[in-house]
Amino acid sequence: MKEPTEKGGIRMYYPYPVPARQNFSRLMTVKGSASLSVKPDTVSIQLEVVTEDDSLMEAQQENTLIMNQVIEGLLQAGIPREDIQTAAYSINPLYDYIDGKQVFRTFQVRNAITVTIRDIDQVGQVIETAVENGVNRISNIQFMLEDQEGYYRQALSLALQNAIGNASALAGTMNVAIDPTPVKVTEQQREPPVTYQTFVAAAPGETTPIEPGQITVNAEVEAQFKY
């Protein structure tokens, strides 16, 4: 045991040598990363109605009639109107090439809407409803997190902890002391935590199966420590 010392008239006993105050004058730069695997809770899906006719007016009228029917079916299925948005609308003449010449064939009208579904279990039903009401193209099934910023902040906190651990490990290897409070932390560029999936066509009378899987939320930081 170390010899007792006097402090304010009180004899202090230290079982181990009291370390001298560190003079942290050098910098160590390390990176830290973390990942969270989270089940998605929101789905965005693009539904399209494509019609063709020799008459542009007929093609447009048919398209409008079908799309209105699709939207009404989605509303009845419980999708709020604010979660149904127009994604694209286009009119294109289609041609055939016969003997090297361009010959008009028909007009094609494409109307696409994006539907946000906040209940994963409802996705199959929404697809079935849309198809039954006239949708003939489905694309861009996108699984997301409604509170993705909250999950990212969790990952960011874990990434900083990882950076502190990395710095401590390096300091131990070099047999030097380190100030565990970083003097600078830089958030690295992040990518949106989004997963794209496809669906499998269901047998007649069955709901289209959807497998959302997991979304990985990544975060990375660069931190500087004094040692």
Side-chain angles (χ1 to χ4, degrees):
M1 178 179 294
K2 187 176 175 64
E3 289 297 319
T5 60
E6 291 285 347
K7 186 175 182 181
I10 302 176
R11 295 174 66 81
M12 307 293 292
Y13 291 86
Y14 297 95
Y16 302 102
V18 178
R21 182 176 178 83
Q22 297 294 327
N23 180 24
F24 299 114
S25 59
R26 294 168 293 184
L27 286 178
M28 175 191 300
T29 302
V30 299
K31 288 187 176 182
S33 61
S35 297
L36 291 177
S37 292
V38 187
K39 183 178 179 180
D41 53 24
T42 306
V43 181
S44 174
I45 184 171
Q46 186 164 301
L47 307 173
E48 300 182 23
V49 173
V50 180
T51 54
E52 296 181 4
D53 198 281
D54 292 344
S55 166
L56 176 57
M57 183 177 294
E58 290 292 332
Q60 287 179 300
Q61 289 178 346
E62 180 185 5
N63 194 290
T64 299
L65 180 64
I66 296 174
M67 182 55 80
N68 286 341
Q69 183 173 299
V70 169
I71 292 174
E72 184 60 32
L74 294 174
L75 293 174
Q76 291 181 6
I79 302 298
R81 188 174 292 276
E82 57 268 25
D83 287 339
I84 304 173
Q85 298 180 336
T86 298
Y89 187 89
S90 62
I91 298 172
N92 294 298
L94 301 181
Y95 298 91
D96 290 325
Y97 287 87
I98 301 174
D99 296 331
K101 295 181 180 180
Q102 181 175 281
V103 179
F104 172 78
R105 176 161 52 98
T106 189
F107 286 104
Q108 183 185 81
V109 177
R110 172 178 169 263
N111 191 357
I113 59 173
T114 298
V115 180
T116 301
I117 306 166
R118 305 185 189 279
D119 180 358
I120 294 288
D121 295 333
Q122 196 180 9
V123 178
Q125 177 189 349
V126 168
I127 291 175
E128 294 301 320
T129 297
V131 171
E132 288 172 0
N133 283 281
V135 163
N136 47 17
R137 287 186 188 176
I138 300 173
S139 61
N140 295 341
I141 300 181
Q142 181 178 345
F143 291 87
M144 304 173 294
L145 297 169
E146 188 168 10
D147 184 25
Q148 67 178 41
E149 191 63 26
Y151 286 111
Y152 176 74
R153 287 172 183 163
Q154 291 182 41
L156 195 62
S157 177
L158 293 173
L160 180 56
Q161 294 178 40
N162 180 244
I164 294 172
N166 291 341
S168 297
L170 290 174
T173 301
M174 296 186 295
N175 197 27
V176 297
I178 187 172
D179 185 345
T181 303
V183 296
K184 182 180 180 181
V185 178
T186 304
E187 178 185 3
Q188 302 299 290
Q189 185 176 2
R190 58 168 166 164
E191 297 179 0
V194 178
T195 302
Y196 292 91
Q197 297 278 16
T198 56
F199 68 92
V200 180
E206 296 182 0
T207 301
T208 302
I210 298 293
E211 297 296 334
Q214 295 278 317
I215 290 179
T216 301
V217 182
N218 298 308
E220 185 175 349
V221 298
E222 183 178 272
Q224 289 185 338
F225 299 84
K226 285 186 176 182
Y227 71 97

